[in-house]
């Protein structure tokens, strides 16, 4: 990502990098370790191959993950978070905690 194109607000910068629903879920699924394209597609459920490919390319371009292609037949492609990608773990942990608290409140209000 071109640093000249980054917003002045740090929160907006973060949202620019991970604002898409699929990007956050890709980060979640890669936190435990490397996954192949098919594993990601299966774990994400409703994402199309086209959208997943586009999201992964954007995340690679932003430096959040690396794509490794193995010269096999058929080709094997794996995705791994970079150090920058792993640095988003506290953000995802906070989102999980907040979501659990919200779900708990909703259950109590039923």
């Amino acid at each position: 990502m071109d640093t000249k194109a980054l917003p002045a607000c740090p929160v907006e910068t973060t949202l620019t990098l991970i604002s898409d629903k699929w990007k956050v879920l890709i980060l979640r699924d890669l936190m435990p370790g490397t996954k192949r394209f098919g594993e990601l597609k299966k774990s994400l459920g409703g994402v199309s191959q086209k959208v997943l490919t586009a999201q992964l390319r954007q995340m690679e371009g932003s430096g959040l993950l690396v794509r490794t292609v193995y010269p096999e037949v058929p080709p094997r492609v794996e995705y791994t978070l970079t150090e920058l990608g792993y640095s988003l773990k506290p953000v995802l942990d906070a989102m999980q905690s907040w979501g659990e608290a919200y779900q708990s409140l909703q259950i109590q209000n039923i």
Side-chain angles (χ1 to χ4, degrees), residues 6-105:
L6 291 176
C9 172
V11 172
E12 191 175 348
T13 297
T14 305
L15 286 174
T16 299
L17 294 173
I18 65 168
S19 62
D20 187 276
K21 164 186 164 181
W22 299 116
K23 288 179 184 174
V24 174
L25 296 178
I26 290 166
L27 287 168
R28 176 203 66 190
D29 287 357
L30 289 177
M31 281 295 163
T34 300
K35 283 203 172 22
R36 293 174 69 169
F37 184 88
E39 293 174 305
L40 284 170
K41 186 166 182 341
K42 185 177 180 181
S43 69
L44 294 173
V47 68
S48 71
Q49 184 165 332
K50 179 180 177 180
V51 169
L52 179 56
T53 299
Q55 298 296 294
L56 290 166
R57 285 190 180 145
Q58 288 173 11
M59 293 173 74
E60 183 181 17
S62 299
L64 297 176
L65 58 81
V66 291
R67 176 180 184 260
T68 306
V69 181
Y70 295 93
E72 302 171 352
V73 177
R76 178 169 49 114
V77 180
E78 293 183 340
Y79 296 90
T80 306
L81 292 179
T82 61
E83 195 172 316
L84 182 64
Y86 279 115
S87 73
L88 285 163
K89 185 171 182 352
V91 175
L92 294 182
D93 290 346
M95 290 173 71
Q96 179 177 350
S97 295
W98 189 90
E100 288 169 352
Y102 182 80
Q103 288 175 336
S104 179
L105 284 173

